[in-house]
Amino acid sequence: MIKKINNTQRYNYLSATLAFLLWGTWSFYINFHQGSLQEGIVSGLAQGISSFIITLFMTYLIEKQFNFYHHKVLKLLLPPLCTVLLTGSCLLIVHHIVQTPNILKTVTPALTVALCFAFFTNFKLYQQLKG
């Protein structure tokens, strides 16, 4: 029987809350200076809420893909890459819909950290597999 590997719920929600605070604030800061107070607030809330949801979804998707792939190289590479590609695309769509003034400056740092977070989360799962 194959052992199912998971992250803790505490890890998932703490990560999502920190993502909401960090990236919501970043988006407000960038877009307030590029646009208006209203644009800063709207893009900050859109980014914060999206970051919270995406972070929770990322951990879920990474776990599902990690348990799906059987080859070690696929298990290490595909879950983080596919997950960030999907969630990053959704994030770009959200910012386009809310008409964020500076989408590139808003999402680039968040997606860079998301990729690092995805690889870290995936590696955490891989360590459980070995242990």
Side-chain angles (χ1 to χ4, degrees):
M1 186 169 140
I2 297 174
K3 178 182 174 187
K4 186 177 179 197
I5 308 292
N6 293 54
N7 283 307
T8 65
Q9 205 170 28
R10 181 172 183 247
Y11 173 81
N12 295 347
Y13 281 99
L14 179 61
S15 299
T17 301
L18 291 173
F20 172 84
L21 294 172
L22 176 64
W23 300 120
T25 303
W26 170 255
S27 181
F28 170 79
Y29 173 76
I30 287 298
N31 292 293
F32 170 69
H33 291 292
Q34 294 285 320
S36 66
L37 177 62
Q38 181 179 347
E39 290 171 324
I41 291 171
V42 169
S43 64
L45 285 173
Q47 179 67 42
I49 292 167
S50 295
S51 292
F52 184 89
I53 294 167
I54 285 171
T55 301
L56 289 178
F57 191 57
M58 281 177 71
T59 57
Y60 173 79
L61 271 179
I62 288 169
E63 287 174 9
K64 292 298 179 189
Q65 290 177 79
F66 184 87
N67 288 305
F68 175 77
Y69 297 114
H70 299 292
H71 191 274
K72 286 183 182 182
V73 173
L74 296 179
K75 211 178 248 302
L76 280 171
L77 294 177
L78 287 183
L81 293 175
C82 292
T83 299
V84 172
L85 184 63
L86 173 67
T87 58
S89 298
C90 293
L91 187 58
L92 289 171
I93 291 168
V94 166
H95 280 291
H96 182 71
I97 290 170
V98 301
Q99 298 176 349
T100 296
N102 200 331
I103 295 174
L104 190 59
K105 282 185 180 177
T106 300
V107 301
T108 300
L111 291 179
T112 302
V113 172
L115 187 60
C116 293
F117 172 76
F119 273 105
F120 174 77
T121 300
N122 199 56
F123 187 70
K124 258 183 77 183
L125 295 173
Y126 190 75
Q127 291 297 93
Q128 288 180 43
L129 182 65
K130 289 172 50 177

